[in-house]
Amino acid sequence: SAFNITHNFVASAVYSTPFKPGGNILSRVFADMSISPILAMRTGIPFTLRVPGLQNGTLSESLYARPWNAGRNTGVGPNFYGLDMRVTKSLYVRRDSGLKVDLLVEGTNILNRTNFSAVNDMFPADPAYVLPNGKPLATGPYNVHGFRASDPLQPLAFKSAFDPRQLQFGIKLVF
């Protein structure tokens, strides 16, 4: 399947700080706060090796074909590791009625790790082309993995990435 993720791990939590309002300055700053991380890790998504297809007897980059004995989704893309987090600080206007202002900070890809989303799966139409596993393109085997390369047009090179670290800030009135 094009969506076969062999290993997938997601963990989330909500931690409320144990500090109580009032008392020393440390208690006041950290009271009524919650921290919510989300950790996601997964193996790469499969991809299919492609070569230019024939159109009216000539090779065409707009069409594509698989090497004659290559199965679908035999390549494996890059692994994904991500950490997202939300921190909320509540400022009570009237604690007895629940009227409060929440200050929010949310971040995605907190560790700013480059997670690649796609692999250049197009190979030249040369049956003698040698795959990274040392086997010719014409016969395989086709169990190949994407890799980081300086030229994203190189076959199997990572060619696009998910977004870098992003932060957003917000204020919410709760009544």
Side-chain angles (χ1 to χ4, degrees), residues 29-109:
V29 169
F30 291 108
D32 302 319
M33 282 187 72
S34 67
I35 301 166
S36 307
I38 301 172
L39 174 66
M41 300 185 291
R42 65 168 168 77
T43 54
I45 296 175
F47 64 90
T48 301
L49 278 69
R50 303 183 307 156
V51 294
L54 285 176
Q55 183 176 21
N56 298 328
T58 60
L59 290 175
S60 168
E61 293 289 330
S62 63
L63 296 176
Y64 67 90
R66 291 193 317 255
W68 74 274
N69 63 342
R72 287 182 59 241
N73 304 316
T74 55
V76 178
N79 294 339
F80 178 93
Y81 304 98
L83 177 64
D84 301 340
M85 190 172 302
R86 177 180 182 157
V87 178
T88 305
K89 168 69 175 161
S90 295
L91 303 172
Y92 282 90
V93 177
R94 290 193 355 230
R95 191 172 289 275
D96 58 337
S97 66
L99 180 62
K100 65 180 178 175
V101 174
D102 284 344
L103 305 175
L104 309 165
V105 178
E106 292 179 339
T108 57
N109 194 7

Side-chain angles (χ1 to χ4, degrees), residues 112-147:
N112 207 23
R113 181 181 188 280
T114 302
N115 284 306
F116 291 95
S117 59
V119 173
N120 181 12
D121 56 0
M122 182 64 79
F123 284 81
D126 177 8
Y129 182 86
V130 177
L131 296 167
N133 62 11
K135 303 297 181 185
L137 180 64
T139 59
Y142 301 101
N143 56 338
V144 293
H145 295 271
F147 63 93

